[in-house]
Structure formats: C-alpha cells, structure tokens
Amino acid sequence: MGIRDQVGKDLAEVKAAAAGGLQTVSAEVIDVTDEGTVNLRMDGGELYDVACTDAYRNRAAGDTVAVRRGSVPVVLWRLGDDPAEADAARIATLAQDAAQDLVAISAFTWGTPAPPGTGWQQVSTLWTKKDTNGKGVLYAQLGTASDTSPDALATRAPKSVTISPNDSGSWRNGRPDSYATSPTQGDWTGGGDRRGGWFYGSAIASACSGKTVASMRVAFTRKRGSGINGKVRMRLYLHNYTSAPGGQLSLGDGPETLLSLSVGAKGTATLPAAWRTALASGSARGLAIAGHGRGEYAAFTGGSITISFSA
C-alpha cells in the first residue's frame, strides 16, 4: 500500500471513530410499514420501524439497501439496478389513465355561413351516448357521404375503481368481539380463536355490473401491538354478508394465504380468479380472516379492493 493510500485509510478510520464508529452495511427489507419506515433483516437479526432518507424511494419488500449503523440506524438508499425502467413503466401507466379523461378534437369553430374550403360534410342527425367511463361520445349521421369516416377510436376499458369497506370487525366464540376493534385472526390469550371480516354492502357487484373484470387487488396493513413482530400469514376467506352479522361470522371459500406481513407492514395481493368472479357476480360479498392459536394471531386494517377491467 502506498503512502497516500495509507494516509487516506488512517484518516477514514479517525473520522469513523470520531463519529462514534458509524459504518454503512447492507440489509434486506422485510416489509414497508404504514408509517413509511421499513422492517429489516440485518446481521442475522431483525430490526423494526427503521427510518429512511428521502433518497430511498419506491420502497418495497425484498429491496437490498444501505443502512447507516448506530444507536439509531437509518436506511440511506437502495442498492441494485437503475430503477429508471420500472419508473418509465409506472409513468406510462399513469399517463394512460390520465388520457382516458381527455377528449381529442382538432378544432371547433362556428358561424352563420357554410364552412370555407373543401371536405366538409353536413350532418343530418347527431347522436350521443356515454361510454363505459361515463365520457360523452358523438356520432354524426350524414344524408350522403363524400368521404370515408375516420377510424373509430379503440374502445377503452372502463377505468379502475377502488371499493373501501364500509364496516369491519372481529368475532369470538360465536358473537361479535367488542374488545378487538380491528379484524383479528387466531388467539393470543387462550380465550378462543378470533375471526375477522370486511363488509362492502353490494358495492363490489354494482361496480362490476356490465363489465369484464380483469383483476382485483386488495390492500391490508398489519396492526401494531398484535402478536409477534415477525411475519404472520393472513388466512383469507370469502363471506356472503352485506353488513356485519349479530351472531357468528360464517366463512365461505378459503383459506388462501396471499400475504404474510410483519408488524406495521402494508401489502397488496391479487385475489384468485374464482374469488373475483364470485365477488363480481354477488355470490360472495366480502373478505374474512380466521386463524388458530398464537402462531397465527394478528390484527389487520385496510381491506380496500381495486378492481381493474378489460371491457
């Protein structure tokens, strides 16, 4: 090692010592929480609710990140490939959604005489209707046509909609459980397993009426202070209630294990095809959870369902 390199190494060590021995290490993100912090797997252990700098954007479970160690660790940035391609795809999707709200007309003028120039055609009857997104569509009926019609715009799929539950709760020993205000599964104290449910009235079927459903995605957050800090799998079921029952919450199809979340974490999952068909038709009305014992004990909030359509 040259003299210059050795001096640089010595200065770096002195600076690190003066800063309390802080150093940067890599870690894996277990989950992103509802507060924007992350739960980490680092140095063989797990850390919860670790703060992040603004440089760490588009946070996601599975990311490898640089962490400044110390009494209060902080995530500095994500390690890995340039996220430009992912950002480009996300921006393109947003632009397509925004374009659905636009109506393109190259020019719109009027006057009392006939229009100047050639190519004009006189409309005998004007027709209009709403498209699947509630936007106005015009069709001009001509007495005679001196030119072919422009190609009609491709039919746009209806815009996605998000349905939020209008009620939720927990049930224990065959009746509503007023102690657990959020939907809860499993049992922590030996008082009996809980089951929870989210209720949407008939809003899901109404939103899907006359449309072709492409996907349904549901979002949940693992409630803090419920069970172990580590990941707990959600045991999801369908139910057939438009509102919370006064007796036991009966379960429909399930369980499906679509998400496993650590404490405070938020996540989304795509519902199985058979489930989205049942919810869209109204043969099922909402979602429920149920688990057994301490290993599956956890409470969850959220439950909003985003429905995408293909036609």
Side-chain angles (χ1 to χ4, degrees), residues 263-279:
V263 64
K266 58 184 180 180
T268 59
T270 300
L271 298 181
W275 283 28
R276 72 172 183 252
T277 298
L279 290 166

Side-chain angles (χ1 to χ4, degrees), residues 8 57 76 230:
R57 303 176 63 186
L76 301 177

Side-chain angles (χ1 to χ4, degrees), residues 127-155:
W127 302 81
T128 185
K129 69 172 184 177
K130 288 182 180 179
D131 66 10
T132 53
N133 289 308
K135 304 302 178 184
V137 178
L138 291 176
Y139 173 80
Q141 183 181 21
L142 308 179
T144 58
S146 60
D147 194 3
T148 57
S149 173
D151 293 335
L153 292 176
T155 301

Side-chain angles (χ1 to χ4, degrees), residues 253-272:
D253 290 348
E256 290 280 353
T257 305
L258 306 178
L259 281 173
S260 293
L261 297 174
S262 56
V263 64
K266 58 184 180 180
T268 59
T270 300
L271 298 181

Side-chain angles (χ1 to χ4, degrees), residues 8 11 42 95 113 119 190 234 275 308 310:
L11 288 174
M42 186 176 76
M234 292 187 75
W275 283 28
S308 298
S310 58

Side-chain angles (χ1 to χ4, degrees), residues 163-228:
I163 309 296
S164 297
N166 55 35
D167 197 8
S168 63
S170 285
W171 282 255
R172 192 179 206 177
N173 299 322
R175 60 181 182 273
D177 183 4
S178 59
Y179 178 78
T181 56
S182 299
T184 305
Q185 65 179 35
D187 172 32
W188 191 255
T189 61
D193 288 329
R194 289 188 172 98
R195 57 182 59 175
W198 289 266
F199 304 91
Y200 307 83
S202 57
I204 299 175
S206 295
C208 298
S209 179
K211 304 170 186 173
T212 302
V213 177
S215 69
M216 290 187 182
R217 290 185 60 80
V218 63
F220 293 108
T221 298
R222 168 89 185 279
K223 189 174 181 179
R224 299 168 190 273
S226 62
I228 62 172

Side-chain angles (χ1 to χ4, degrees), residues 151-162:
D151 293 335
L153 292 176
T155 301
R156 294 181 179 135
K159 293 185 68 174
S160 299
V161 297
T162 298

Side-chain angles (χ1 to χ4, degrees), residues 3-19:
I3 295 176
R4 183 175 60 182
D5 292 336
Q6 183 62 55
V7 170
K9 181 175 181 292
D10 292 343
L11 288 174
E13 291 175 352
V14 170
K15 184 177 180 180

